[in-house]
Amino acid sequence: MSSVMDKVNPNLLKTISKIAKRENTTEEAIINESLERTIEEKEIEEEKLKYRVGIPIEVVAEEFGETPEEFIKKLQEAEAEESIPLDVDKLEKELRL
């Protein structure tokens, strides 16, 4: 990793070092976290471009491991003020909470 660190802009590296010191972590950890966030943001932007009108129900249902019919049924139950059975751990992982 040091070869990569040698290629980082010195002013940027100073800023990263200050952040790392403040957060009691390493420069590498700060860079990795920043890269992960950047990649996630780019993926979200790509999805927005891919589904300009809205995400198809099939795609959403698949994210929850359900068929579109199962997902629609759960949505209808929710509209009828019934509860939707939910795996909280899976939801937290999906939403990165």
Side-chain angles (χ1 to χ4, degrees):
M1 185 78 168
S2 63
S3 63
V4 172
M5 296 298 280
D6 293 338
K7 297 177 184 178
V8 174
N9 177 311
N11 292 328
L12 186 56
L13 189 54
K14 286 180 187 177
T15 302
I16 292 169
S17 294
K18 288 178 185 177
I19 293 170
K21 187 174 182 179
R22 183 177 67 229
E23 294 185 11
N24 196 27
T25 189
T26 65
E27 288 88 354
E28 290 87 358
I30 296 298
I31 291 170
N32 286 332
E33 289 171 17
S34 296
L35 289 172
E36 286 174 13
R37 277 194 307 271
T38 301
I39 291 168
E40 287 174 5
E41 289 170 3
K42 287 187 180 282
E43 288 173 346
I44 290 169
E45 288 302 314
E46 288 174 7
E47 289 295 308
K48 285 180 181 178
L49 292 173
K50 186 176 176 182
Y51 304 115
R52 292 180 188 266
V53 177
I55 300 173
I57 194 80
E58 294 84 9
V59 174
V60 177
E62 186 179 306
E63 285 292 319
F64 286 96
E66 299 174 351
T67 66
E69 294 78 18
E70 292 170 331
F71 191 74
I72 289 169
K73 182 179 177 189
K74 287 186 178 181
L75 289 175
Q76 289 169 340
E77 289 172 356
E79 285 179 348
E81 296 185 37
E82 295 180 24
S83 65
I84 297 175
L86 191 50
D87 182 342
V88 175
D89 293 329
K90 183 177 178 183
L91 182 61
E92 285 179 348
K93 184 178 177 184
E94 289 289 327
L95 298 177
R96 294 177 178 91
L97 298 175

